[in-house]
Every structure is written in C-alpha cells, then in structure tokens.
Amino acid sequence: MTDQEPDAPAAGPSIIADYQLRPGVPDEMIDPAGNIRPGWAELMAAFDALGAEELSARFERADQYLRDAGVFYRTYDGAESKERDWPLAHVPLLIDEADWERISTGLIQRAELLEMVVADIYGDNNLVQQGLLPPELVAQNSEFLRPLVGVKPASGHYLHFCAFELGRGPDGAWWVLGDRTQAPSGAGFALENRVATTHALSDIYANMNVQRLAGFFRDFRDMLFADAKRDGGWVGILTPGQLNETYFEHAYIARYLGLVLLEGEDLIVQDGKVMVRTVAGPMPVSALWRRMDASFVDPLELRYDSRIGTPGMVEALRQGSISMINALGTGLLETRALAAFMPRLSRKLLDTPLLLPEIATWWCGQPGEQQQVIDNFDDLMIGPAFATNLPFDDLRGTKLGSTIPPDEKARLIERIRANGANYVGQEQVQLSTAPVYVDGKLQPRPITLRVYAARTENGWTIMPGGFARVGSSLDTSAIAMQRGGQAADVWVLSSKPVEHISLLPQDGKQMVRAAVGDLPSRAADNLIWLGRYAERTEATLRILRAYNARLAELSKTDLPILTHCADFLDSIDVDAAQPMPQGLLASINSAVHSAGQIRDRFSPDGWLALNDLQKTAQRFARRVRPGDDSAHAMTVLLRKLAGFSGLVHENMYRFAGWRFLELGRRLERAMQIARIVSWLTHEDAPVGSVEMLLEIGDSVMSHRRRYSVSAGAQSAIDLLILDPLNPRSVIFQLDRLRAQIDKLPGGIVEGQLSPAAKAALELETELRIADAGDMTPERLDKLADDIVGLSGLISAAYLV
C-alpha cells in the first residue's frame, strides 16, 4: 500500500497493513504519492507498540471518561428528542504545522471578508448598489433582520466567533465548504475530544508536540471580559435551554471560561439596558455570547412566537448598552447561495483572491448560471439557495441530481425555471478520508474539518485544532452527527516543544471575587427544587422500604399497618403495589431535570452520581419484585442518594448557590417529617406505627439511647419534631433554614428581618417552647402548611 510504512513490531503486522485506500480519493494519512504524511508514521508506530488489546482498552478508557463526564448531544426523531453519548472517533486527525499555517492564514482572511460583507449589508449597502450582491439574496432572506439595519454593534464588530467547515480536495489543498456565523457550535466538544483522547493516548500525545487549545480560549475570554470591565456588567452565554441539541457544550464552556449561563427568561430590559434577574435584584449585563438563533432573541421585534427570547433586546442593542456575540443578523452569512459571490467580493473588498478556495456554487437567480445548473443537473448537488445548513451538515435539503427520480427531476427543473432565485447548484465534493478504528483495524472514512476563529484584543486567532467529523460509512451523507457520524480530535503538530498554557490568572493580575448575590434567580429556583426533589425521593424510599420489609413478613398483625401505609403513599401519588412506583421514579427524574438546568454550576461528580441513581432506579423498575427484593432495591437507592447528597454537601462552595440548595433540602425534609409524624401518630394509626415512624425517620438508634424501651408516641414526637440535636427533626431543619435565610441578600437589613426570616424565626420559636404533648396531628399538619408558606415567602423574595 505504501513504501514508507513504519517498522512493525515482532509481535505481529503493522496496524496499517490492511488499510485500503479508495481509488482516486485523497487520504489524510497517505499523500497522493503513497507516502505517510508527517506525524502519522510516529502515531502508527506507537499504536503498533501498544498492540491491539492495549489499544482497544485505551480507547475504551476514553469512552468511559466521556460517559463519566456526561458528555452528550441531543438527537431528534420527529418531535421526540433523545440524549446520545458523544460519539468519539478515537484516532486523532493529524495536521502538520506548515499545512495548518496555510489554513489559519486563509481563515483569518475569510473572517475579515465576512465582517466587511455583513457590516455593509446592515450599513451603507454598497455591495447591493454596485451589483456585487443580488438584492434578492438580502431582501428575501429570512436571516436578514430589518430591525437591525443601521444598528452598529457596541463592540465595533459584527463577528467575534466563527466556525468554518473544510474539506481536502483531490489536489491535497483544503477547500471551504461553508461558514458558521449564526451561533457556531462544537468548540466545547473539541475541548472534550482533546481531554478524552489524551486520557487514552497521554504518552503519545506528550511526545508529539501537539499544539494546546487553552490559549485560544484564554485570549477569547480576555476579550469578552475586557468589555465587561469597562461597564462593570456580567458576561454570559445566552442559551436556548436544556432541550437544545448542544446544551451540554453551552454549560461546559460556561464552566470552563467562568461565564454565566443564561436563558432568555433570566434577562429583562430596563431603560434600554439588559439586566439579569438575580437573588440580589437586577444586575447589568455587558456581553452575551449568543448560542441561540438571532430571530428568537427578541419576541418584541423579531419572532413574535419566541418563548425563549427577551423582549426589548433589540432596543438595548440600538442604544449600545450590550455587546452581542455574534451580532444579531450575522446568520445571513451562512446562506448557501452567498458562496457563488465570495470570490468576487474578496477581489473587490480585499483586492486579493481567496486564499482558501470556495466550493463551486451557481445561484439559479441568474439566467446564465440557471442554465448551467440545468445542463449539468446530474453532476451537481441541488439545494435551496437560502438554507443555512452547510453541505454535509444535513443533506436532507440537498440532493445529487443523478439520484433524483426522473418525474421528481422534471418537476424540480420546472421550479428552477420558474423561481430560480430559490435554488443553487454546487459541485460534488470528493471528501478525503482518514483512518478510523473499527473492530481492531483501521478503515478509511470521509471527513470534514471544523475550525474555529475568535476575535481577540489583538485581532483574529485560529483554534489550533477544532474537530473532525468522521463518517460512519463511506457514504458522505452519514457524516452528520444526527446520522451516526463521529467526531475526532485534531492534533496540530509543532516542529518544537509547545508551551504549557493555562486559563488561570497570570501573576500580578488583580484578583476579583464575585459578590454573594451573583446568582440568577432561575438558577436559585432550580437549586431549591433539586434539594427538595432529593429529599422527597429519600422520604419516599424510606416509606417504601419499611412497607416492603413488612410485606415480606406478611403476618396478620402487619395487614393494618400495610393498608395504612399504602393509603398514605397513595395520597402522595405513589402506588405501593408497584415494586418500583412511577411516583418515585418521577421524583428522581425531576431531580435530574432540575440539575440539568444548572449544569454550569454543578460538578461533574455530582452529575455522575445523580445520573447513576436515575439509571439504577430505572434498571430496578424492570426486574424487582415486591417484598424483600423491593426493600433491598430501596436500600441500594438510599445509599446512592446518600452518596450524592454527601458529595454535594462536602464539595460545594458555601456560596449563594449552596444556600438555595440547602434551603430546598431543609424545607422539604421539615415538611415530610411533619406530615409523616402526623400520619403515624394519628389516633387511628394501627399497631406498629411508632416503630415504622422511627424507622422512616432514621432515628431507631437515637430513640433507644434517649428513651426507655416502653416509651410511646410522645417520645417519637419529641425526637422527630422537637429535638434540636437530631438532624432528622423539624426543629433542626428550621434552625438551619433560619441561619441560611439570614445570610441571603436582604435577609437582615440594618437589623430588620425579611418576611421569610421572620417566618422562620417564628416557627422555630414555637417549637422551642412546645412540649411533645402539644404536637397533635392537627398542629403537625398546620406546621407542615406553615413551612409551605415559608417556602412561598422565599420564592416571592428571590425567585422568578
């Protein structure tokens, strides 16, 4: 196959011995002359030295890291969406330094050109007036946002972060397949690809002088915060929310760069300024890295049906009070038909040809080009002119002419003749291939390269890597993630050792601490509910375990307490007849959902522990039986839940976020204990209720130490309601609640207590002066209702 293969170890043949190139198709590992490209020989020799068994084990280590980190993207099947594990292609794509320099220079030129084009479209409109751009491509384009015409960005630039899709042509040169300027995705996944790949190949990575990614993100972050320092406002990532296909990346990048992850409902516009709703009141925002399509950002002036935008955002942009990255309306640059005019625009605006050639495109809105497409219909890719999907990103709207059935072809040609402005023809691109590890062997698969450009204080910089999208088969339509494609890390190889770069602040820079109230109200809301759902799950598990333990014994004396327990569970929508009730699973799922809304504030270990709890519960739901089997399952889940709670409690910084999580835990535990004690000490409670109460309250050992064996319901009430030393008692929860409320913004102002602080103090005081005999079931029910009222006061003061 090649006369420059690396020497194979004595143990067996080289891993590339069976690597079969496709005739006439360029390959990333093998150049047109049949030689291994720079760096690949070293990588293949390292693979050979490891051997097939060790190599497979290492690749599994990378996959395990991604699973542990919870890396996913969302796929869509009709109206249904599902989370899919991030599909890592384990063999990195290698690009040598000289090749990368050509790519970088060409992309910087292209980014400058795109900036000039979009600035003219929303500014003086000279390109249309001079005939360099057809007016239809602007005026009829859904991505052209008229309310933004004449609105100059506060930063002075329209583009700050771009992505480019590249493919290597038959001559070995890289071609631009398309531009991403709307809300480019994937940079966070590129980081995770790097981490996962280095988990597997750390020794090889260390020896190959691979350029680091951190410097690219550091410089971009510094540019974002430079604007914020002048205005004193927040810097955030604007996300559509948890159901977006790349939401994991939004949360990951926010955590990695120290940005705030914000949704449209987190923001309000006051007097032309964008503010974040926080637990300490509205706070100004200086810059938003936009990760949602522009038309959804403002339902007042753009898409009226948007439920994820912020009314008044466009007015704030007019007043220059906020920097939007990228500027609204820049999605216009992704228009497929624009590729037909880029070479001419480059010569006009830059006085130089494109350094990276463009995929050949013919816009059918011009008579000559229309006829060209019709005459060469079978050899071209036919697609919509205004679609912003890139070639090979999603081919549902683009088809090779020769694959279209004759009757459909005739109708499509008629539509092109009647309304050619809506269609383009593009040349077929023969994508190069790269090695993919499949069943212990390397096989060639088509690839595209996604590269990122960021504007920094010193101009454009190119990420030294990005990621390669790798097809699941030789079919180029299978390269999209939604169609089973994979993603490979990209190693840009340097000729000398690379500098270790960190995102940590440099020595000598002033240290800035965030204020205690720097917590969006929506995040506080989700933290409270995470705490509440976790405690609700624990209470339900303890009741179900006690029920199933007695069900296993099933003596006649147990029948009344079983019926009594089943009735209580039914009152909270939990069916005791099910060994793993849906009501329990719903509480666990709700906890995961709340945690998913705050992924940027949640540790990967905490997320992993919570997901493990959910998966274990779902596995039990398929196979446990009532009685001992179910009781054992509840014990396992309780241990996993305790592990999650302990991990969060011990590791979470005692900031505003932790306080709201703690508030949720204490509120729910106090309510649950009050209601359970009322239920099991009621006058109609059957024999065995006190024993079950102590078991559910996890206080059997404490009760034995503190009270005589013959003590009855009064002792259980004293222990679970009034004992300030029992971490399960209601008064213990109220003491912790009061302490946290006092420390919240506005909890105590100049000695005056907030309404929530007063209510907490009043409830705690009532219990401190009460006796066990005073705590009747009716008073306990009222206590639970009063705690619900306290929760409402907290919500009214701090939450959206």
Side-chain angles (χ1 to χ4, degrees), residues 56 436-443:
S56 295
V436 177
Y437 193 72
V438 181
D439 298 328
K441 296 182 179 180
L442 292 181
Q443 297 183 13

Side-chain angles (χ1 to χ4, degrees), residues 713-750:
Q714 294 282 313
S715 61
I717 292 173
D718 185 61
L719 182 62
L720 288 170
I721 301 296
L722 303 176
D723 192 335
L725 300 181
N726 182 7
R728 292 281 168 182
S729 73
V730 174
I731 197 170
F732 187 94
Q733 314 313 314
L734 290 172
D735 176 73
R736 296 300 188 270
L737 277 167
R738 183 176 55 79
Q740 298 309 325
I741 292 171
D742 289 351
K743 294 176 182 178
L744 290 177
I748 301 178
V749 179
E750 297 181 354

Side-chain angles (χ1 to χ4, degrees), residues 25 209 239 245 306 399 510 538 553 594 611 623 703:
V25 178
N209 295 335
T239 175
E245 63 180 356
S306 172
K399 296 180 180 179
Q510 183 179 4
E538 180 177 348
E553 299 169 2
S594 293
N611 270 271
R623 62 179 177 83
H703 186 266

Side-chain angles (χ1 to χ4, degrees), residues 644-665:
F644 163 74
S645 298
L647 183 69
V648 172
H649 185 77
E650 291 299 322
N651 293 351
M652 196 169 179
Y653 188 79
R654 277 8 181 206
F655 211 41
W658 177 84
R659 298 196 191 288
F660 280 93
L661 181 65
E662 181 76 351
L663 288 174
R665 292 179 61 216

Side-chain angles (χ1 to χ4, degrees), residues 600-621:
D600 59 316
R601 298 177 177 273
F602 214 64
S603 75
D605 287 338
W607 179 254
L608 178 63
L610 192 57
N611 270 271
D612 182 45
L613 173 70
Q614 183 187 45
K615 291 177 182 177
T616 304
Q618 291 170 346
R619 187 171 65 250
F620 282 155

Side-chain angles (χ1 to χ4, degrees), residues 121-186:
I121 289 173
Y122 286 99
D124 296 335
N125 203 26
N126 289 325
L127 297 179
V128 171
Q129 293 180 21
Q130 296 173 12
L132 296 169
L133 270 182
E136 299 96 320
L137 286 187
V138 177
Q140 296 180 16
N141 198 320
S142 62
E143 294 299 332
F144 175 60
L145 304 181
R146 285 178 174 80
L148 277 302
V149 172
V151 177
K152 295 184 178 181
S155 67
H157 301 287
Y158 288 83
L159 296 176
H160 311 81
F161 196 88
C162 305
F164 304 93
E165 201 84 4
L166 307 180
R168 193 189 289 273
D171 60 353
W174 290 96
W175 289 64
V176 176
L177 305 179
D179 308 301
R180 281 295 196 194
T181 56
Q182 174 74 270
S185 64

Side-chain angles (χ1 to χ4, degrees), residues 387-466:
T388 57
N389 292 329
L390 297 182
F392 313 109
D393 197 33
D394 185 348
L395 296 177
R396 282 173 290 184
T398 304
K399 296 180 180 179
L400 178 61
S402 61
T403 65
I404 300 175
D407 55 342
E408 184 181 337
K409 172 182 174 180
R411 290 194 298 270
L412 180 55
I413 289 177
E414 285 304 311
R415 289 198 296 270
I416 292 174
R417 292 188 188 278
N419 198 356
N422 289 337
Y423 297 91
V424 294
Q426 292 182 302
E427 68 173 326
Q428 294 185 64
V429 176
Q430 181 64 70
L431 295 177
S432 64
T433 57
V436 177
Y437 193 72
V438 181
D439 298 328
K441 296 182 179 180
L442 292 181
Q443 297 183 13
R445 291 288 186 268
I447 65 114
T448 61
L449 176 63
R450 180 167 290 189
V451 186
Y452 298 88
R455 188 182 294 280
T456 72
E457 294 179 289
N458 297 317
W460 287 101
T461 185
I462 304 298
M463 180 194 293

Side-chain angles (χ1 to χ4, degrees), residues 154-351:
S155 67
H157 301 287
Y158 288 83
L159 296 176
H160 311 81
F161 196 88
C162 305
F164 304 93
E165 201 84 4
L166 307 180
R168 193 189 289 273
D171 60 353
W174 290 96
W175 289 64
V176 176
L177 305 179
D179 308 301
R180 281 295 196 194
T181 56
Q182 174 74 270
S185 64
F189 290 123
L191 275 172
E192 284 288 34
N193 278 351
R194 175 60 55 87
V195 176
T197 304
T198 53
H199 261 68
L201 307 173
S202 56
D203 48 348
I204 301 174
Y205 175 84
N207 293 328
M208 293 190 66
N209 295 335
V210 181
Q211 294 188 26
R212 309 297 178 95
L213 305 182
F216 172 83
F217 288 98
R218 180 198 61 197
D219 294 344
F220 182 58
R221 179 200 62 186
D222 290 348
M223 184 276 294
L224 292 174
F225 280 100
D227 287 339
K229 288 176 183 177
R230 288 190 289 269
D231 301 335
W234 287 25
V235 179
I237 292 179
L238 182 61
T239 175
Q242 192 176 8
L243 294 181
N244 184 263
E245 63 180 356
T246 58
Y247 175 77
F248 168 84
E249 183 203 5
H250 305 170
Y252 178 82
I253 286 287
R255 191 166 55 236
Y256 181 70
L257 296 183
L259 307 179
V260 183
L261 190 63
L262 300 169
E263 296 184 21
E265 66 179 282
D266 293 325
L267 304 171
I268 55 174
V269 178
Q270 295 180 341
D271 300 324
K273 295 183 178 180
V274 181
M275 314 291 283
V276 183
R277 295 183 174 99
T278 79
V279 297
M283 299 284 186
V285 182
S286 294
L288 286 172
W289 184 0
R290 176 174 61 85
R291 300 305 301 272
M292 70 168 69
D293 287 354
S295 59
F296 288 92
V297 168
D298 186 348
L300 194 62
E301 297 199 52
L302 301 175
R303 282 193 60 154
Y304 71 90
D305 59 342
S306 172
R307 301 295 182 88
I308 58 176
T310 305
M313 185 67 77
V314 171
E315 180 58 30
L317 291 170
R318 286 195 189 99
Q319 297 196 21
S321 64
I322 187 168
S323 178
M324 187 71 73
I325 297 162
N326 289 330
L328 300 187
T330 52
L332 177 82
L333 296 172
E334 296 184 6
T335 301
R336 183 174 284 136
L338 190 61
F341 303 92
M342 290 295 285
R344 185 167 58 177
L345 290 171
S346 178
R347 290 191 294 271
K348 174 65 177 180
L349 297 176
L350 300 177
D351 197 28

